[in-house]
Amino acid sequence: MKNKKATIRDVAKEAGVSVATVSRYINNISYISPETEQKIKVVMNKLDYKPNEIARGLAKQKSKTIALIIPDISNPFFPELVVAIEEVAKLKGYSLILVNSNNDDLKNPKFWKEFQSRYIDGFVLASFEFNEEILKSLQNLQIPFVRVDRAVDTHTANSVGVDNYKGAIMAVEHLYELGCKKIAHISGPGVFIPAIDRLRGYQDTLQKYFPIQEPIVYQGDFAMESGKQLTQRLLEDHPDVDGIFLANDLMAIGSLKALKMLNINVPTDIAIIGFDGIKITEMVEPELSTIVQPIYRIGVAATNKLINLIEVTDDVEEYQLEVALVKRESTLGFLPKG
């Protein structure tokens, strides 16, 4: 028969103090004399008493829990991010709650209030269209948060992102160097700073190499289906386009599907390049050229920054990680016309 597990009442009785005194000692929330502290410590060791961590967290209104809020768990970018965040959180004694929510949820102040009642210690926000009302709600909660991916704002210290503008330049210059003469861009939603920076990189690079050519831009929503539909529309409007830079890999995969349906050869007739570097880009046919984000490093940096904000309350270090161009079959076999 197993020995009965010691309780806080057992410790209090053995030490000759009240339960409240033992609780104050465990949670370190008010002064206790050194003599009483020593007495409680000895009894806890003798009875092999282990405090309930959840109860301790509630006493301090802390739970050692962080929440990751993402817009689309079906996008392979986010599971890769989750792995990194969960590993670092676990290493530092934190648990992770994954929340898959759309923008409408995030704009509702009640959505955030629920997290406060659950004693969430901090947020990693991977998608969010910030406005003054929501920023005020977050500040009132006094819960630290770090912004990544679509939620990134390069003008704030609590963001961890990449140089999206530079990445877009690399993508368009690659298409130009292949010999593409009419390059279009399928962008992300204009409410997200990374999408804006990628569009700006496309426009500036096009202006540099084709100063009299008008930019060809169709706005997508980062989903595969929009890449497919917008590629079809793009080629109806501009059948002579020979290079497409898409603002993320999922839309680029949708574009590949559309071109296959239209019997247009990639890369012989049109060169395609995406952005993100998700693993599925190596599994499609043809393999997709892309601008690779260091997804794992983003997750690690964001989690370390958030935990530092939770525990130290001050972290002004800015993170802007480098991207890299990976050339694969979707561009490397392009044959310039004329």
Side-chain angles (χ1 to χ4, degrees), residues 66 81 85 88 123-124 145-148 158-160 296-309 319 321:
I66 59 178
L81 188 69
I85 292 174
V88 176
F123 301 103
V124 178
F145 62 92
V146 171
R147 301 157 69 148
V148 299
N158 67 332
S159 278
V160 176
Y296 187 87
R297 286 179 58 209
I298 291 171
V300 169
T303 313
N304 281 327
K305 176 179 274 290
L306 179 61
I307 291 173
N308 199 40
L309 287 169
Y319 286 92
L321 304 175

Side-chain angles (χ1 to χ4, degrees), residues 109 181 192 206 210 244 256 279 303 335:
K181 294 182 174 61
F192 298 126
L206 200 72
F210 303 102
I244 308 176
L256 289 176
K279 295 186 185 305
T303 313
L335 296 176

Side-chain angles (χ1 to χ4, degrees), residues 27 50-65 95 118-119:
N27 294 300
K50 300 290 190 300
N52 185 311
E53 289 299 322
I54 295 174
R56 291 182 69 187
L58 293 176
K60 296 181 178 182
Q61 296 193 348
K62 298 285 184 182
S63 64
K64 299 284 278 187
T65 302
S95 57
R118 295 168 67 181
Y119 300 123

Side-chain angles (χ1 to χ4, degrees), residues 20 76 95 98-99 122 164 194 279 301:
S95 57
L98 181 61
V99 183
N164 291 285
K279 295 186 185 305

Side-chain angles (χ1 to χ4, degrees), residues 24-61:
R24 289 200 302 274
Y25 167 75
I26 292 170
N27 294 300
N28 192 27
I29 54 177
S30 66
Y31 175 77
I32 299 172
S33 71
E35 295 82 5
T36 302
E37 281 190 6
Q38 183 60 27
K39 192 186 298 183
I40 294 170
K41 184 177 179 181
V42 168
V43 171
M44 284 176 64
N45 288 334
K46 176 184 173 183
L47 300 180
D48 193 27
Y49 173 72
K50 300 290 190 300
N52 185 311
E53 289 299 322
I54 295 174
R56 291 182 69 187
L58 293 176
K60 296 181 178 182
Q61 296 193 348

Side-chain angles (χ1 to χ4, degrees), residues 30-298:
S30 66
Y31 175 77
I32 299 172
S33 71
E35 295 82 5
T36 302
E37 281 190 6
Q38 183 60 27
K39 192 186 298 183
I40 294 170
K41 184 177 179 181
V42 168
V43 171
M44 284 176 64
N45 288 334
K46 176 184 173 183
L47 300 180
D48 193 27
Y49 173 72
K50 300 290 190 300
N52 185 311
E53 289 299 322
I54 295 174
R56 291 182 69 187
L58 293 176
K60 296 181 178 182
Q61 296 193 348
K62 298 285 184 182
S63 64
K64 299 284 278 187
T65 302
I66 59 178
L68 169 61
I69 299 176
I70 62 174
D72 182 11
I73 192 62
S74 66
N75 184 333
F77 177 92
F78 295 110
E80 291 186 43
L81 188 69
V82 170
V83 168
I85 292 174
E86 191 167 39
E87 284 183 5
V88 176
K90 186 176 180 181
L91 190 66
K92 298 203 169 187
Y94 284 76
S95 57
L96 177 69
I97 291 177
L98 181 61
V99 183
N100 191 66
S101 288
N102 59 41
N103 244 5
D104 291 336
D105 290 334
L106 303 181
K107 290 176 181 178
N108 185 347
K110 290 182 180 178
F111 174 85
W112 301 102
K113 201 73 176 174
E114 287 179 10
F115 286 107
Q116 188 180 42
S117 66
R118 295 168 67 181
Y119 300 123
I120 298 297
D121 297 327
F123 301 103
V124 178
L125 303 175
S127 179
F128 191 44
E129 181 187 344
F130 283 86
N131 59 42
E132 289 302 317
E133 182 183 4
I134 298 304
L135 275 173
K136 187 175 180 181
S137 296
L138 279 170
Q139 289 162 357
N140 288 340
L141 292 179
Q142 296 184 322
I143 300 175
F145 62 92
V146 171
R147 301 157 69 148
V148 299
D149 194 49
R150 302 178 197 180
V152 156
D153 181 353
T154 52
H155 301 297
T156 64
N158 67 332
S159 278
V160 176
V162 300
D163 194 336
N164 291 285
Y165 177 76
K166 180 180 177 182
I169 291 173
M170 292 163 67
V172 179
E173 284 189 337
H174 175 53
L175 295 176
Y176 170 76
E177 288 164 2
L178 291 170
C180 294
K181 294 182 174 61
K182 194 163 185 179
I183 303 169
H185 179 48
I186 296 180
S187 73
V191 295
F192 298 126
I193 289 175
I196 294 169
D197 287 345
R198 292 171 198 179
L199 171 60
R200 192 164 53 87
Y202 159 77
Q203 292 171 326
D204 288 354
T205 311
L206 200 72
Q207 173 67 27
K208 177 180 177 180
Y209 294 111
F210 303 102
I212 62 172
Q213 193 176 117
E214 284 294 317
I216 302 170
V217 179
Y218 290 75
Q219 183 173 296
D221 63 3
F222 285 139
M224 190 184 300
E225 186 63 23
S226 75
K228 176 186 169 185
Q229 292 181 0
L230 291 175
T231 297
Q232 291 172 319
R233 192 191 311 170
L234 163 64
L235 291 176
E236 287 172 6
D237 298 340
H238 304 277
D240 55 341
V241 160
D242 57 5
I244 308 176
F245 163 46
L246 296 102
N248 81 338
D249 287 338
L250 268 191
M251 291 196 300
I253 291 168
S255 182
L256 289 176
K257 186 173 183 179
L259 292 167
K260 185 174 183 179
M261 291 169 58
L262 294 168
N263 293 315
I264 295 174
N265 185 272
V266 178
T268 307
D269 300 321
I270 295 183
I272 302 292
I273 187 167
F275 200 117
D276 276 346
I278 58 178
K279 295 186 185 305
I280 199 172
T281 55
E282 301 176 62
M283 304 172 194
V284 295
E285 181 63 38
E287 291 186 12
L288 185 65
S289 294
T290 184
I291 302 298
V292 176
Q293 298 195 60
I295 302 173
Y296 187 87
R297 286 179 58 209
I298 291 171

